[in-house]
Amino acid sequence: MADKVDKLLTDYFTGDLQRKISMRVDMLNTVQEIDENTGGGRAQYKYSNAVENKMITEESDAELVALRHNKKVIDTWTSGMDEVRYQVMKEMYCRHKTWDKIALDNGVSRTTMAEWRKELKFSIEGWGLLITY
C-alpha cells in the first residue's frame, strides 16, 4: 500500500501538485467584497491595498504554505539527480509502465530502481513534509 510520500511524489511527477497550488491560489484570490463601512457615511483617506491583502491571504493559508513547501523540498532533491535517475523516478510515479518495462528502457535493474526510490523517499521525509492529504 502506498504511503503519503508516495502519493505526494505521484502528484509531483504527474503535475497534480502544481495544479493544486494554482487552484488554491485561484480560490484564495476570488473577489470577496467586505463592507468596511459599517457605520454609514463616507470613508476618508481610503486607499486600496489589494496587493497587500492578497499576499497576506496567501502567506497565512496553511494549505497553500504546505503545498509550496512540499514542492520546494521535492524540487530540491530532484534537481540534483542525473537524467536517467530522474526519468526512472518519473516513469515509476506516473505509473504508465511496469517496473520491468522501465528497467529495460533505461538499462537499470529493478533492485537499483528500488534503491533509488528508497533514497528519494528517505531524503524527502527528512525535511518535514507538511502533508495535506
Side-chain angles (χ1 to χ4, degrees):
M1 181 173 177
D3 61 0
K4 291 180 180 183
V5 177
D6 282 326
K7 172 70 172 133
L8 185 62
L9 286 167
T10 300
D11 283 354
Y12 177 81
F13 283 109
T14 58
D16 287 343
L17 185 57
Q18 182 59 46
R19 280 189 285 278
K20 286 180 182 181
I21 291 171
S22 298
M23 290 304 297
R24 187 68 183 173
V25 168
D26 289 346
M27 188 185 86
L28 292 173
N29 291 331
T30 56
V31 179
Q32 298 174 354
E33 289 292 326
I34 299 173
D35 184 15
E36 295 176 4
N37 191 7
T38 57
R42 292 174 46 126
Q44 295 179 358
Y45 308 111
K46 187 174 181 179
Y47 65 95
S48 175
N49 52 0
V51 175
E52 290 94 355
N53 287 342
K54 177 183 173 192
M55 289 177 61
I56 290 169
T57 301
E58 288 182 15
E59 290 175 0
S60 64
D61 184 63
E63 185 175 347
L64 183 59
V65 169
L67 289 168
R68 285 181 172 164
H69 172 75
N70 293 345
K71 185 174 184 313
K72 185 172 183 172
V73 169
I74 297 171
D75 280 340
T76 301
W77 284 104
T78 56
S79 67
M81 289 182 176
D82 60 7
E83 189 175 324
V84 173
R85 186 179 291 205
Y86 183 84
Q87 186 64 31
V88 167
M89 292 295 112
K90 184 174 182 176
E91 290 177 7
M92 285 173 66
Y93 282 105
C94 287
R95 308 209 191 281
H96 295 301
K97 297 181 180 177
T98 64
W99 279 47
D100 291 329
K101 178 73 171 146
I102 297 168
L104 185 62
D105 289 348
N106 294 289
V108 295
S109 69
R110 285 182 58 133
T111 306
T112 302
M113 290 178 6
E115 288 174 7
W116 287 350
R117 180 179 175 210
K118 182 179 175 183
E119 287 174 14
L120 178 62
K121 286 177 64 173
F122 181 76
S123 298
I124 290 171
E125 284 177 329
W127 284 94
L129 291 177
L130 305 172
I131 304 294
T132 59
Y133 301 101

